[in-house]
Amino acid sequence: MKKQGILNSHISKVLADFGHTDWIVVADAGLPIPDGVQKIDLALTLGVPRFTDVVDALVEDMIVEKAIVAEEIKKNNKSTCKYMAKGFQNIEYVSHEEFKELTKNAKAIIRTGEVTPYANCILQAGVIF
């Protein structure tokens, strides 16, 4: 059994297989999952687990080079926007429609129980050297 870090075996495997610039998505409960992209469903009930809990756990276990979020988060979910701005120096903003298109290129999408608007992000893997 793992001693620390992410215990979910599906997430742990995705991260272990990551290369530089690979993407993982942390999604709210409503984001559509594109066909062919692995879905790791953590949603238990409305709001559980929270988007921020999952992002925090991922950041502890991976090097994040860049985060991508929907531009609409700035106006429609200021608390999550502030959380992202505080946690990531390199953030790219795209339209929500473009964001959904980009998720087709992710290695996996983690579905949370989050039910606030635009609480989604793409985390791009960096390197440890």
Side-chain angles (χ1 to χ4, degrees):
M1 179 167 194
K2 284 184 71 173
K3 190 174 179 179
Q4 61 188 14
I6 292 178
L7 297 178
N8 182 286
S9 62
H10 302 289
I11 297 170
S12 191
K13 174 149 179 35
V14 168
L15 295 180
D17 290 343
F18 256 21
H20 184 216
T21 73
D22 283 342
W23 287 355
I24 192 164
V25 176
V26 181
D28 61 27
L31 188 74
I33 310 296
D35 291 338
V37 177
Q38 179 184 3
K39 176 173 81 170
I40 302 170
D41 197 342
L42 300 181
L44 295 174
T45 59
L46 294 178
V48 179
R50 296 179 318 167
F51 169 82
T52 56
D53 293 335
V54 176
V55 172
D56 287 345
L58 286 170
V59 168
E60 287 295 316
D61 237 23
M62 70 178 282
I63 303 295
V64 177
E65 180 173 270
K66 174 173 73 170
I68 303 169
V69 297
E71 181 77 32
E72 291 87 343
I73 198 172
K74 292 177 182 177
K75 185 176 182 181
N76 298 294
N77 191 341
K78 292 180 183 187
S79 64
T80 302
C81 184
K82 183 178 177 180
Y83 163 83
M84 292 299 294
K86 183 178 177 185
F88 300 96
Q89 292 181 13
N90 187 7
I91 300 178
E92 179 180 340
Y93 294 93
V94 298
S95 73
H96 188 58
E97 288 306 312
E98 184 178 352
F99 183 91
K100 290 189 286 188
E101 281 297 311
L102 291 175
T103 64
K104 294 176 182 178
N105 300 312
K107 297 286 183 184
I109 297 178
I110 301 170
R111 181 175 174 254
T112 70
E114 188 66 51
V115 290
T116 61
Y118 304 103
N120 307 291
C121 71
I122 297 170
L123 301 178
Q124 180 172 301
V127 292
I128 58 174
F129 54 88

